Amino acid sequence: MTTTAPPRPDDAGTSPGDVVAEAARRRTFAVISHPDAGKSTLTEALALHARVIGQAGAVHGKAGRRGTVSDWMDMERARGISITSAALQFSYRDAVVNLLDTPGHADFSEDTYRVLTAVDAAVMLIDAAKGLEEQTMKLFAVCRHRGIPVVTVVNKWDRPGKDALELMDEVAERTGLTPTPLTWPVGIAGDFRGVLDRRDGSYRRYTRTAGGATIAPEEVLSAEAAATREPEAWAQAREEVELLDETSGAHDQELFLSGETTPVLFASAVSNFGVAALLDVLVDLAPAPAGRPDEGGVPRPVDAPFSAFVFKVQSGMDAAHRDRLAYVRVCSGVFERGMVVTHGPTGRPFATKYAQQVFGRERESIDTAYPGDVVGLVNASALRVGDTLYAGRAVTFPPLTTFAPEHFAVVRSLETAKHKQFRRGIEQLESEGVVQVLRSDRRGDASPVFAVVGPMQFEVAAHRMAQEFSAPVHLEPLPYTLAMRTDEESVAGITASSGTEVMRRSDGELLALFTTKWVMGMVRNGKPHLTLEPLVAAQLA
Ligand SMILES: Nc1nc2c(ncn2[C@@H]2O[C@H](COP(=O)(O)OP(=O)(O)OP(=O)(O)O)[C@@H](O)[C@H]2O)c(=O)[nH]1
Ligand SMILES: [Mg+2]
């Protein structure tokens, strides 16, 4: 096996021209989809094809492929789902790829949303048997809203599924994006032999490997050879592509970048079919980083002095060290390890002594990074999700939206002697955005309230409190389902009604909690002078 570490350009004498060139070869994208469509499996297959890992997890994982590189948390491995997003950086051809594998479950959609603020493109997976699912639709909407170009991958073609043309109709009708397939399957779903490359009419024929653990050999045949090799399947693919030519046009780079079309590829992540084609498409078609708009909407060009923002904070990646990693996306300039930058929110200097390149849970020191790169800053306790860092001319990037919580539970320590660990754990989970934490004088500091978008966040928080912070907790659900922003003047007026409570979130925001929408409506209609504002229009929640 050949292992290629991403080339680390020599940082000596970097000129602005280098920054532009380095940014131009970055591809930073997220893999997104409804739960279980195969994001982590595809992530691993992409790493396998870029030859940064030698074998996919199939041979190691006993129950399915639980050992994917991006699912490293013990809860993820135990359940076979992704709970938190993971970053991988590797080089492929002349490009440096920053890939973010996101969790599909709606309960973790805030994490996915934060990742989508840090990428330039998205790979959307569709399960061939299921077509467009609920979370897929929400994600398409977020990408449209944020102007993120989407490459669509119809995955699991090795399994019986829908008709390919039908799937294209579904995409066109339900997402409003025109699908422009670059490849077309040869063999119906469940009988995946290869793809017809629409760009040159050739046949890429795939061969299975044991357990899909290694790269699937690929043979490129001419149309004539394909017709001899697979008379029926090839003829059907040709026929379908002719029909397709009438409805969806060829790929158009401008329409793709402006979010009107989505290139489509067919794949089987688990057998590594179609993965090489996807990597090439990402390098050839996905956009390179461009200047990121600041708070006022003015882009900071990629060759401006260094700037970055924190889109994720994660601790507990390394049980032995218990460190805390802030993931930043570089937006402009050159990052050099050790440089002292300014922490936007406080204006204080921030030293970047411990900077790392991330590969799932593996990390190694890096010296230089460029726009588009994801850098892990270790033990950066001052950094919170959404913070801007910069050198030279000041910049503030727009804050990241927090979702409106819909589930609430009082947290109590099961072991009173461990109040220190209890406090530390809660502070940590809060700063990572695993949960929002609410407090009130009435409930006191020993019983804060966790507020979440989805109940699985409670499980993750409780698990981590016990495992990472040795502070086992009991969660007692509260009957509220709705939170609105309010102010001091309105508190008495709100809490006069039953089914309400007002608590302060750790960012200072006062939140009014209601058992039902109906209760909230009653309060608002009865006392229209009270301040009650929706928290965010959360497209994903
Ligand atoms: N047959 C088949 N199974 C696949 C394919 N890709 C993934 N799977 C299986 O589908 C299941 C889910 O795969 P994951 O990669 O964990 O899916 P995911 O999208 O990352 O799931 P979440 O992160 O939890 O949303 C696993 O059992 C995979 O082995 C594929 O191409 N074909
Ligand atoms: Mg996953």
Side-chain angles (χ1 to χ4, degrees):
M1 187 198 78
T2 38
T3 310
T4 328
R8 286 282 149 212
D10 188 353
D11 55 345
T14 311
S15 72
D18 297 336
V19 181
V20 172
E22 287 296 337
R25 65 190 194 99
R26 265 35 186 199
R27 295 293 179 273
T28 305
F29 60 89
V31 183
I32 54 178
S33 79
H34 192 83
D36 252 14
K39 296 174 291 300
S40 301
T41 310
L42 179 72
T43 295
E44 187 165 74
L46 288 166
L48 181 73
H49 277 77
R51 298 181 191 279
V52 276
I53 57 171
Q55 274 191 338
V59 286
H60 304 296
K62 278 191 203 122
R65 293 164 64 105
R66 283 173 182 170
T68 52
V69 278
S70 46
D71 287 340
W72 52 266
M73 213 182 239
D74 53 357
M75 263 182 96
E76 296 182 313
R77 296 199 168 194
R79 296 184 186 202
I81 64 164
S82 300
I83 287 173
T84 178
S85 51
L88 267 69
Q89 191 189 54
F90 55 82
S91 63
Y92 178 70
R93 289 176 23 199
D94 189 37
V96 176
V97 172
N98 290 277
L99 189 170
L100 290 142
D101 176 24
T102 65
H105 200 291
D107 288 13
F108 308 121
S109 53
E110 205 170 358
D111 187 342
T112 301
Y113 184 85
R114 290 185 202 126
V115 166
L116 284 172
T117 64
V119 297
D120 303 311
V123 173
M124 170 80 72
L125 260 65
I126 296 177
D127 183 323
K130 297 186 176 146
L132 299 184
E133 300 174 85
E134 191 190 342
Q135 205 61 10
T136 328
M137 297 306 299
K138 289 183 180 171
L139 288 161
F140 267 119
V142 173
C143 290
R144 174 172 313 117
H145 178 74
R146 296 200 57 88
I148 301 171
V150 178
V151 174
T152 301
V153 172
V154 177
N155 190 32
K156 305 199 182 182
W157 200 256
D158 58 297
R159 286 298 202 83
K162 295 192 175 187
D163 176 67
L165 285 169
E166 213 178 285
L167 279 165
M168 293 306 99
D169 286 346
E170 213 178 310
V171 171
E173 279 161 26
R174 296 187 54 201
T175 69
L177 286 171
T178 304
T180 53
L182 302 173
T183 64
W184 196 255
V186 175
I188 56 166
D191 180 28
F192 196 7
R193 299 169 187 213
V195 293
L196 187 164
D197 195 319
R198 251 183 116 199
R199 294 160 292 189
D200 61 8
S202 67
Y203 175 36
R204 290 184 182 219
R205 186 175 177 278
Y206 303 129
T207 307
R208 252 169 220 289
T209 61
T214 50
I215 295 178
E218 202 176 299
E219 225 182 312
V220 182
L221 282 81
S222 67
E224 296 72 41
T228 318
R229 190 80 156 256
E230 323 265 11
E232 278 171 36
W234 181 255
Q236 189 186 341
R238 285 287 292 261
E239 230 170 79
E240 289 173 347
V241 164
E242 274 168 33
L243 281 173
L244 205 60
D245 289 343
E246 292 167 18
T247 52
S248 48
H251 171 76
D252 178 312
Q253 186 66 7
E254 258 174 52
L255 293 178
F256 162 55
L257 295 181
S258 65
E260 284 172 58
T261 63
T262 177
V264 182
L265 295 151
F266 286 78
S268 163
V270 85
S271 356
N272 293 308
F273 287 9
V275 177
L278 175 61
L279 258 183
D280 287 327
V281 163
L282 287 165
V283 172
D284 293 335
L285 306 182
R292 185 177 184 84
D294 65 10
E295 229 174 6
V298 182
R300 180 165 169 116
V302 289
D303 58 355
F306 169 78
S307 69
F309 75 98
V310 182
F311 65 94
K312 179 183 171 71
V313 173
Q314 176 86 55
S315 73
M317 291 176 77
D318 185 342
H321 297 100
R322 308 216 165 254
D323 58 3
R324 181 175 185 273
L325 199 67
Y327 290 70
V328 306
R329 158 163 175 148
V330 179
C331 300
S332 64
V334 187
F335 171 84
E336 281 163 358
R337 184 162 61 88
M339 77 197 285
V340 178
V341 299
T342 304
H343 176 229
T346 57
R348 291 208 187 108
F350 178 86
T352 58
K353 194 167 164 201
Y354 303 103
Q356 299 182 327
Q357 174 197 0
V358 190
F359 191 84
R361 83 188 308 182
E362 321 251 302
R363 307 181 242 149
E364 78 188 46
S365 252
I366 56 155
D367 294 320
T368 319
Y370 293 95
D373 283 342
V374 170
V375 176
L377 296 174
V378 185
N379 285 341
S381 55
L383 301 187
R384 297 174 65 93
V385 168
D387 288 359
T388 301
L389 296 172
Y390 61 84
R393 189 165 50 82
V395 61
T396 306
F397 294 117
L400 300 191
T401 29
T402 45
F403 282 17
E406 291 175 17
H407 302 267
F408 306 84
V410 181
V411 200
R412 289 200 182 85
S413 176
L414 283 175
E415 293 172 31
T416 39
K418 298 214 164 153
H419 59 271
K420 241 196 198 151
Q421 288 92 325
F422 179 76
R423 289 177 71 112
R424 196 154 46 83
I426 288 186
E427 200 181 286
Q428 178 61 32
L429 295 181
E430 196 276 321
S431 76
E432 286 182 30
V434 172
V435 288
Q436 297 178 24
V437 181
L438 316 181
R439 291 188 173 83
S440 66
D441 291 341
R442 185 166 81 74
R443 291 191 184 274
D445 217 28
S447 9
V449 166
F450 281 173
V452 298
V453 175
M456 264 169 79
Q457 288 175 270
F458 285 145
E459 286 181 53
V460 174
H463 178 83
R464 291 187 56 187
M465 285 297 289
Q467 298 301 312
E468 259 169 64
F469 303 99
S470 309
V473 294
H474 171 70
L475 293 180
E476 180 193 319
L478 292 173
Y480 308 117
T481 63
L482 179 67
M484 306 278 281
R485 181 180 293 118
T486 188
D487 55 21
E488 290 287 0
E489 292 71 51
S490 309
V491 175
I494 294 165
T495 51
S497 304
S498 60
T500 66
E501 179 167 351
V502 174
M503 299 194 76
R504 194 175 291 282
R505 194 163 66 184
S506 9
D507 62 356
E509 206 75 77
L510 259 191
L511 302 191
L513 314 182
F514 301 92
T515 47
T516 61
K517 262 198 186 117
W518 187 80
V519 169
M520 194 276 294
M522 289 281 290
V523 172
R524 188 152 61 181
N525 293 341
K527 302 170 187 165
H529 59 280
L530 298 179
T531 304
L532 285 174
E533 295 161 0
L535 280 170
V536 274
Q539 297 94 332
L540 264 172

